[in-house]
Amino acid sequence: MKNTILSNFRVNSSLNFISKILIFVVLVFVLDICVGSCLRYFYFRQQNGFLFRTTYAIENTRADLLIFGSSKANHQYSPEIFGNKMGLSYYNAGRDGCSIFYHYAVLKSVLKRYTPKVIILDISRDFEKSQASYDRLSILLPYYKDHPEMRTIIEMKSPYEKFKLVSKIYPFNSLLFSIIAGNSDMNKNRYTDNDGYVPLTKIWNGKLSVINEPINYKLDSNKILIYESFIEDCLKAGVRLFVVSSPDFVKYNYQEKSNIVAEQLAKKHNIKFLNYSNNSVFLNNSKYFADGSHLNDYGAKIFSRLIVNDIEKDSA
């Protein structure tokens, strides 16, 4: 009798334990859905800021001319110059700190919706091997669900991304404060932009840097393949693509190796490569820069006029 009572007690204890685990799992699942859905709602209702600009580039813009690239793209291509001189509608899809992986993912979503007339891709040491470039793909996690065309790129972040994305919270788990800011009025003043272009107003007073020896870094074969895919997709869609290496306030006494690869592949596909990395117009004028790597709004207008002239010459 004692053995039977003990056995029943153990069975009941085990069932209670399993029931508690199941209830806990269900609660976590429900909480994940509720919190994730709430974060998604507030993420996509933003009307300003850098998260909104990414969404607008992926889902809304139908501009004739698009700018792609990292911070140089975002701050150095003046929309009024392109609009006034070329008569094309403009949107700047650049985003600070992002690599060719991000640019290509956004391009794929754009081309799924419509075909721009002209695309400018700004590159700067874009083929450097860096784990940070893969980690930064987290920026695109909120778009994984609704944009299947981007999934293979997003999944490059890690081998476990598909499994992590079962969670509804995961795509937004590092964006809480950005989402709050993006839904508040203070963000309108913090992140003013003009069709995606974010002007810099400072004037650089530093001295010209001179680099004599090549910077030693490993090239990332994935980035090179994605760059070539970017070119090929533009060509297939009938987009006029221009690849640009924009200026720094730095004199390079050598050819930067990412630029070499980018130019070779551009020439292979008969794409115009515009190299302004050592252009004397900018090397002789620190007042055109906001810092050692980025043009200010005044310099951006001068640079944009030069790019427009190059595009018009190519059309002649």
Side-chain angles (χ1 to χ4, degrees):
M1 177 69 76
K2 281 185 178 180
N3 288 338
T4 302
I5 292 170
L6 283 172
S7 178
N8 287 337
F9 176 76
R10 286 173 185 151
V11 168
N12 288 334
S13 297
S14 296
L15 287 173
N16 285 335
F17 179 70
I18 292 169
S19 297
K20 287 177 181 177
I21 289 177
L22 288 173
I23 290 168
F24 176 75
V25 169
V26 170
L27 285 173
V28 168
F29 181 72
V30 171
L31 186 64
D32 178 78
I33 291 175
C34 292
V35 174
S37 298
C38 184
L39 289 171
R40 171 172 286 274
Y41 170 75
F42 283 104
Y43 181 93
F44 285 104
R45 77 183 293 272
Q46 295 175 90
Q47 293 300 313
N48 53 72
F50 61 94
L51 299 180
F52 165 73
R53 292 200 298 272
T54 292
T55 300
Y56 190 84
I58 290 170
E59 298 186 345
N60 301 108
T61 185
R62 298 191 73 86
D64 298 325
L65 183 146
L66 294 179
I67 310 294
F68 284 84
S70 58
S71 57
K72 285 178 172 291
N74 199 204
H75 304 300
Q76 299 189 164
Y77 293 81
S78 175
E80 65 185 78
I81 303 302
F82 287 95
N84 291 341
K85 294 201 73 177
M86 296 182 69
L88 299 177
S89 57
Y90 165 110
Y91 195 75
N92 194 313
R95 180 156 171 175
D96 292 14
C98 290
S99 73
I100 190 66
F101 297 142
Y102 172 88
H103 313 327
Y104 184 52
V106 175
L107 175 76
K108 286 176 75 67
S109 290
V110 166
L111 293 180
K112 186 178 178 181
R113 293 188 296 107
Y114 82 108
T115 303
K117 293 178 181 177
V118 178
I119 285 177
I120 295 172
L121 173 63
D122 189 291
I123 63 147
S124 176
R125 275 177 65 180
D126 270 50
F127 305 143
E128 182 175 4
K129 195 173 184 67
S130 165
Q131 182 57 42
S133 298
Y134 293 87
D135 294 340
R136 289 281 286 175
L137 284 169
S138 61
I139 290 166
L140 296 171
L141 293 176
Y143 307 95
Y144 186 88
K145 177 186 174 184
D146 297 328
H147 292 274
E149 71 279 2
M150 301 170 72
R151 288 176 188 168
T152 55
I153 301 165
I154 295 170
E155 288 165 8
M156 293 173 72
K157 183 176 181 291
S158 82
Y160 310 107
E161 243 23 56
K162 279 184 180 179
F163 308 106
K164 291 179 182 178
L165 282 157
V166 171
S167 166
K168 305 302 180 186
I169 293 175
Y170 175 65
F172 309 96
N173 64 3
S174 62
L175 296 171
L176 179 59
F177 293 111
S178 297
I179 292 171
I180 292 170
N183 281 274
S184 67
D185 289 337
M186 70 176 183
N187 215 44
K188 293 177 183 177
N189 298 322
R190 283 183 67 204
Y191 295 104
T192 56
D193 72 273
N194 181 1
D195 289 323
Y197 166 67
V198 180
L200 301 176
T201 56
K202 293 181 180 178
I203 297 176
W204 178 243
N205 293 316
K207 292 183 179 179
L208 178 70
S209 298
V210 179
I211 302 179
N212 293 309
E213 297 295 326
I215 298 169
N216 189 28
Y217 62 85
K218 290 183 179 179
L219 294 172
D220 188 329
S221 59
N222 286 332
K223 289 183 176 181
I224 294 170
L225 287 171
I226 292 292
Y227 168 70
E228 190 161 19
S229 295
F230 191 107
I231 292 174
E232 290 170 347
D233 283 13
C234 286
L235 289 172
K236 286 176 188 174
V239 177
R240 293 183 65 205
L241 173 65
F242 295 85
V243 181
V244 180
S245 178
S246 55
D248 300 300
F249 197 56
V250 178
K251 181 171 174 55
Y252 297 97
N253 288 325
Y254 64 92
Q255 273 199 298
E256 207 283 318
K257 59 183 177 180
S258 280
N259 271 10
I260 293 171
V261 174
E263 185 169 12
Q264 286 173 345
L265 288 173
K267 285 183 176 177
K268 172 185 170 182
H269 293 281
N270 200 28
I271 295 296
K272 197 78 172 179
F273 184 88
L274 305 174
N275 192 346
Y276 279 83
S277 59
N278 258 351
N279 188 279
S280 60
V281 170
F282 301 99
L283 293 182
N284 293 329
N285 290 283
S286 65
K287 68 180 181 181
Y288 294 165
F289 289 84
D291 56 44
S293 301
H294 301 93
L295 298 169
N296 56 33
D297 188 48
Y298 182 63
K301 287 181 171 61
I302 292 168
F303 176 59
S304 297
R305 287 189 188 97
L306 293 172
I307 295 297
V308 169
N309 288 339
D310 285 330
I311 292 173
E312 288 176 340
K313 285 177 187 174
D314 189 67
S315 304

